Amino acid sequence: TMKQEDIFSNLNANRPAPSYGPSQGSDETSIEIDIGAGRTLNGVILYKKREVKLDELDKNLKEIARTSTKTPVIIRCAEASPHKALIDVLDVCYKYKLFSVSIFTL
């Protein structure tokens, strides 16, 4: 008989060392953006629970990025939301170096 080796027990995974100092970014609040299906091909972008145009979102993210580019961005997309709206929001995040982005589907 042949015994199959458990390859998962031999994987080398490096975890970050624990931080004992003050937490970096503990005072940072996350940016929450919702993208929904809309009447147009661009969909609906909600920021702070109100509908905004892309240029208004751009201005808001620019101000936040001036303070900290490490602020987490949470993007929640409705299942029927257009792909273009997500790409537009990601482009604005990239423009201001907001790289800590999480994307979820509702």
Side-chain angles (χ1 to χ4, degrees), residues 23-91:
S23 173
Q24 290 180 336
S26 60
D27 57 342
E28 297 172 351
T29 59
S30 62
I31 301 165
E32 296 184 8
I33 301 168
D34 294 310
I35 300 174
R39 297 170 296 283
T40 66
L41 293 176
N42 294 335
V44 176
I45 299 172
L46 299 171
Y47 174 67
K48 293 188 177 180
K49 299 187 181 190
R50 66 179 188 84
E51 187 174 344
V52 296
K53 300 285 185 202
L54 192 60
D55 60 338
E56 186 179 350
L57 180 67
D58 187 287
K59 290 176 190 175
N60 285 304
L61 294 186
K62 181 179 182 179
E63 289 301 315
I64 291 169
R66 283 186 193 181
T67 306
S68 173
T69 57
K70 296 182 194 262
T71 304
V73 180
I74 299 170
I75 303 172
R76 291 184 295 257
C77 299
E79 188 173 319
S81 64
H83 185 73
K84 181 181 180 341
L86 173 60
I87 297 303
D88 289 342
V89 172
L90 290 173
D91 285 345

